[in-house]
Amino acid sequence: MHAFPKAGVRQQVWAGTASQARWSTDGRELFFRTADNALMAVRVTDAGGELRVSEATALFTLPFAQPNGAGIGAAAQYDVLPNGHFVVNLEVSPQKTTLHVMTNWQAGLR
């Protein structure tokens, strides 16, 4: 677990627009979504009480289901599971589906 930096200390992680930041369960990586729908990761380490952040690495780009709303309160479009995998809310193309409704199905059980 990393100590929180002193008040007023800032560490820039990304120069562009980003939102929906999530920490890994072990607190060693920070994930975020960029304006062009890339999911990025940065490694976070504690070097002698000083917070260090690696260069951001693109993990993948996906067609998220919602536009990238920057800021606090934007609907989360992904989450990080304890095993390091991701759950992602993706936009999918609607497909024609046939729905069959069976009425009086209990009569068929006799």
Side-chain angles (χ1 to χ4, degrees), residues 83-105:
N83 64 3
H85 293 133
F86 296 90
V87 176
V88 182
N89 186 13
L90 297 178
E91 182 175 346
V92 295
S93 300
Q95 295 182 10
K96 186 175 179 180
T97 303
T98 303
L99 177 65
H100 298 277
V101 178
M102 179 182 271
T103 59
N104 199 23
W105 59 270

Side-chain angles (χ1 to χ4, degrees), residues 62-80:
L62 293 171
F64 288 97
Q66 298 277 329
N68 193 359
I72 296 172
Q77 294 297 302
Y78 75 96
D79 206 354
V80 185

